[in-house]
Amino acid sequence: MKKLLLLSLIAFGLSGCSGIHQTDKAFDAHAESVNVLFLQFPGGDTQERAMDLVPSNAEIVTVKSTVSDTSSFLGVLNRIIGMDQTKVAGVIKK
C-alpha cells in the first residue's frame, strides 16, 4: 500500500509541466500543475511559470488561467482534486 501511494505521488509530481511553442511570428507558452487536497504538484504559481517562458521581444495578446480561488464552488473543487493551467499567447516583435 505504501509503495502504491508513493508511486501515485511521483506520478502526480511528474504530470505538471511547462513549455513553449514558438515560430518567427508568434508564441504560445503554457504551464500546468496538479492539485490534490490543496497541494500543488509541482508547486508554485502556474502563471509565473508560463510568464517566465515568454520571449523578451514578445507582445502578450492573451492570458488564460483556470479558476483557482476559494470563493467559488469550482475553485474549491479544483483545489481538492483538479488541475491548474495557464496559457499565454502573443506575437513576436522584430
Side-chain angles (χ1 to χ4, degrees), residues 37-57:
L37 300 176
F38 290 85
L39 298 173
Q40 243 181 1
F41 301 101
D45 187 17
T46 55
Q47 190 169 3
E48 275 184 28
R49 291 194 340 237
M51 295 299 269
D52 287 343
L53 297 173
V54 173
S56 60
N57 60 338

Side-chain angles (χ1 to χ4, degrees), residues 1 3 5-6 18 20-21 23-24 27 30 34-35 51-52 60-62 66 68 71 78-79 84 86-87 89 91-92:
M1 181 68 178
K3 289 182 182 181
L5 181 62
L6 180 63
S18 57
I20 185 169
H21 176 73
T23 65
D24 59 338
F27 74 94
H30 66 91
V34 175
N35 295 323
M51 295 299 269
D52 287 343
I60 296 172
V61 177
T62 60
T66 56
S68 62
S71 63
N78 187 37
R79 288 298 197 168
D84 280 350
T86 299
K87 290 185 178 184
V91 295
I92 305 290

Side-chain angles (χ1 to χ4, degrees), residues 2-34:
K2 289 181 184 181
K3 289 182 182 181
L4 182 61
L5 181 62
L6 180 63
L7 287 174
S8 298
L9 289 175
I10 290 171
F12 276 127
L14 294 176
S15 61
C17 69
S18 57
I20 185 169
H21 176 73
Q22 181 177 344
T23 65
D24 59 338
K25 296 180 181 179
F27 74 94
D28 181 18
H30 66 91
E32 294 88 16
S33 293
V34 175

